[in-house]
Amino acid sequence: MRRAPGAATVLAVALLVAAPLAPGVLATGSPAALVRIPVESLVVVLLLALLPWRAVRRSVAVVYGMVVVAALLLAGIDTGYESILDTHFDPSEWRQLGDAFGVVADSIGVVPAALLAVLAAFAALALVVVLAWAALRTDAAIRRHLVRGTAVATTVTAVWVVGALAGSQLVAGEPAAAAASVDTIASAAGRAGDTARAQADLAERVRDDPYAAAPASDLLTRLKGKDVIFAFVESYGQVAVQDTSFSGGVDRTLRGGETQLAAEGYHAQSAWLTSPTFGGVSWLAHSTLQTGLWVDSQSLYDKIIRTKRLTLSDAFRGAGWNTVSDVPSDTHPWSYASSFYHYGTAYDDGNVGYAGPSFGYARVPDQYTLKYFADHQLTGPHTPVMAEIDLVSSHTPWAPLPQLVPWSQIGDGTIYAPQPAQSQPSSVVWRDPALVRQYYGQSVQYSLGSLFSFLRNVDDPNLVVVALGDHQPATIVSGAGANHVVPVSIIAKDPAVLRDVAGWHWQDGLLPTAAAPLWRMDAFRDRFLAAYGSTTG
């Protein structure tokens, strides 16, 4: 009967040691980070010992639990961001968590994803209660054995102070004096502060635009009469085409596409761009290319799309083009298509007449997206069109995958009805990292194949396509420490289109080598406007 209180106290002390150190384990990936002394628990134990009021002690214990749980949540989210997006989580961009939930729901289903979210919330609340209990239980034990308890607490505190001053280690590489939870919260706050400072400089960056005052009649003069498409291929990164287990298949698709397009009279040149994002948040890349500003965070994006910064679509519309946004992953009208990018027409999955099955996140197959666009924008006599088209069949989770069908049989998309059942579902694919990488490669082959199908079947001698990736795929595909480099190509039948960019020194064909030029993505807008306009800014 006397062992239960002792066991409970041992459990309480163990929780006070381990829980505040857990964020450090998540950050370093090393269990050795648990062999340290957490300052957070020392502080709460000392505070509780000094407070005579029971109600106040309970409140302090609850606050302690909330701080540690907040640090754990931040560390867990940050670890997820690093593993998928190769960046740290910024608390000021918390709305991105909704997008993350959407990706998880596409991978495992809405109901399982919602259940996981609910379980996580209950677990966090329960942990707050458990940690508050552990702090109060330890305090009660010290009060029952005041002399011995005070001596132990004082000794441990002294060890922490000496360890902090001397930098001593209980295990190699891990300082004995730890403040893992505090450090996690402080780091997150620091990132939010950096974002706030970047936002403060944004107004000047927006104003510093060499093309803001250029007459529309002086822009894009060398593309007059051309139909110009900017095709973003989702997750089409350098790993798709160079030195990976899946790049061979993608390279074969590109070489086959080159041969077919050459037979149709097309010419192509390619290079590399550095994307501001990795693994997701594609709209950061889209806005960077369009505005000529480096948009590497959601908070910057939210600010920029409320400015009057000149975009490529602005420039084309002012110069007389009919401008189109085609984003088949949008499930509802996108207000900034008109208010910031000033597109004349905006397509989403609700207004393109698609009656086929859903393919996970990429509900509408890329080939259907391109066929609908061609039928409604490029058929017969028409005002020259500029469009941004997002090809999203290669968006994570890369399953189930659609297959190419004859162009003339695409119709309303019902031809795709049998295809989801013919592919492995994402719930199966994501059990095996090797299978994830295989399906990623196949998804890129499908998206590129859809683009080649479009180019072969659209009889438009004035067509110009800028095809590029928005970012590298997530770390499970790209690998740890991957760069942010993506391929970019210009494809056209008119040789003058490529002569105008001869100074760029891009390489012939659709498959750039490692020696091809590499630009930051924000450099593209100004170089494009300089190459194809009579005003250079």
Side-chain angles (χ1 to χ4, degrees):
M1 294 295 292
R2 292 181 181 179
R3 291 185 180 180
T9 301
V10 170
L11 175 61
V13 172
L15 285 168
L16 292 186
V17 172
L21 296 174
V25 176
L26 290 171
T28 64
S30 171
L34 289 173
V35 189
R36 299 191 292 168
I37 303 172
V39 71
E40 300 86 357
S41 296
L42 287 178
V43 169
V44 76
V45 167
L46 292 174
L47 275 176
L48 292 176
L50 294 172
L51 293 170
W53 307 283
R54 179 175 296 182
V56 176
R57 291 202 301 270
R58 288 176 177 171
S59 298
V60 169
V62 169
V63 170
Y64 162 78
M66 292 172 65
V67 168
V68 173
V69 169
L72 277 167
L73 290 173
L74 287 170
I77 295 170
D78 193 55
T79 300
Y81 266 56
E82 282 196 280
S83 65
I84 296 174
L85 303 178
D86 192 32
T87 188
H88 289 285
F89 173 61
D90 181 350
S92 66
E93 299 180 356
W94 58 269
R95 284 179 294 179
Q96 285 186 351
L97 296 177
D99 298 314
F101 174 82
V103 172
V104 173
D106 289 329
S107 300
I108 65 175
V110 175
V111 173
L115 286 175
L116 283 177
V118 171
L119 286 174
F122 274 112
L125 181 59
L127 187 55
V128 170
V129 173
V130 169
L131 289 173
W133 167 83
L136 292 170
R137 180 76 189 192
T138 303
D139 175 63
I142 292 174
R143 289 175 184 273
R144 282 197 309 271
H145 308 282
L146 189 58
V147 175
R148 193 192 328 168
T150 302
V152 171
T154 303
T155 300
V156 174
T157 302
V159 170
W160 189 93
V161 172
V162 171
L165 293 174
S168 57
Q169 301 176 357
L170 298 176
V171 296
E174 297 292 346
S181 292
V182 172
D183 288 345
T184 296
I185 294 173
S187 296
R191 290 192 292 273
D194 291 341
T195 297
R197 286 187 287 275
Q199 290 179 6
D201 297 335
L202 181 61
E204 182 178 348
R205 291 169 57 199
V206 169
R207 286 194 301 268
D208 185 19
D209 186 353
Y211 288 94
S217 58
D218 289 344
L219 297 176
L220 303 164
T221 53
R222 301 185 67 80
L223 290 174
K224 288 294 184 183
K226 304 294 186 188
D227 294 315
V228 183
I229 296 171
F230 293 86
F232 277 97
V233 181
E234 174 68 38
S235 301
Y236 179 39
Q238 189 177 53
V239 297
V241 298
Q242 284 189 353
D243 304 323
T244 56
S245 61
F246 45 82
S247 60
V250 177
D251 291 354
R252 286 191 294 274
T253 298
L254 287 169
R255 291 192 184 98
E258 283 182 3
T259 301
Q260 295 169 5
L261 294 181
E264 297 287 335
Y266 282 101
H267 311 273
Q269 289 187 346
S270 300
W272 305 104
L273 298 175
T274 300
S275 172
T277 185
F278 180 98
V281 203
S282 307
W283 49 91
L284 302 184
H286 302 179
S287 58
T288 293
L289 189 92
Q290 284 256 14
T291 65
L293 296 172
W294 188 251
V295 188
D296 60 353
S297 72
Q298 182 65 39
S299 52
L300 280 177
Y301 175 84
D302 290 341
K303 294 285 185 182
I304 287 170
I305 57 178
R306 290 172 172 82
T307 69
K308 297 185 182 299
R309 176 75 176 189
L310 179 73
T311 62
L312 285 173
S313 50
D314 270 331
F316 274 98
R317 187 173 189 182
W321 270 262
N322 171 32
T323 55
V324 179
S325 166
D326 197 340
V327 188
S329 56
D330 279 352
T331 57
H332 52 78
W334 178 40
S335 62
Y336 294 109
S338 57
S339 66
F340 177 67
Y341 290 104
H342 303 121
Y343 289 113
T345 301
Y347 292 133
D348 54 54
D349 83 339
N351 62 2
V352 293
Y354 181 67
S358 174
F359 289 87
Y361 177 90
R363 173 169 134 62
V364 182
D366 289 341
Q367 194 184 23
Y368 180 93
T369 294
L370 291 164
K371 177 67 160 60
Y372 186 91
F373 171 82
D375 289 348
H376 290 79
Q377 295 293 334
L378 302 180
T379 301
H382 60 273
T383 301
V385 174
M386 174 270 174
E388 179 187 316
I389 303 178
D390 296 350
L391 302 180
V392 296
S393 291
S394 51
H395 192 288
T396 181
W398 306 304
L401 282 179
Q403 300 295 322
L404 295 174
V405 299
W407 186 261
S408 61
Q409 297 178 27
I410 292 175
D412 64 358
T414 53
I415 191 173
Y416 297 103
Q419 291 191 2
Q422 296 167 357
S423 169
Q424 293 274 32
S426 59
S427 58
V428 172
V429 170
W430 279 77
R431 296 174 190 168
D432 179 359
L435 195 56
V436 171
R437 291 187 280 273
Q438 175 188 324
Y439 266 68
Y440 162 76
Q442 291 174 356
S443 73
V444 173
Q445 290 179 253
Y446 170 79
S447 291
L448 293 173
S450 296
L451 182 61
F452 298 149
S453 174
F454 165 76
L455 290 167
R456 287 196 308 272
N457 285 281
V458 172
D459 183 16
D460 184 353
N462 293 313
L463 190 59
V464 178
V465 174
V466 179
L468 70 157
D470 48 13
H471 53 71
Q472 292 260 53
T475 304
I476 190 173
V477 174
S478 294
N483 61 35
H484 286 215
V485 176
V486 299
V488 58
S489 302
I490 295 182
I491 306 166
K493 284 189 174 180
D494 185 353
V497 172
L498 297 182
R499 284 199 299 269
D500 286 336
V501 295
W504 292 1
H505 304 294
W506 286 16
Q507 294 179 341
D508 289 338
L510 295 172
L511 187 58
T513 70
L518 170 64
W519 304 347
R520 283 198 355 163
M521 196 174 283
D522 57 343
F524 182 88
R525 188 205 70 160
D526 288 5
R527 293 181 183 183
F528 187 87
L529 292 175
Y532 292 114
S534 57
T535 293
T536 64

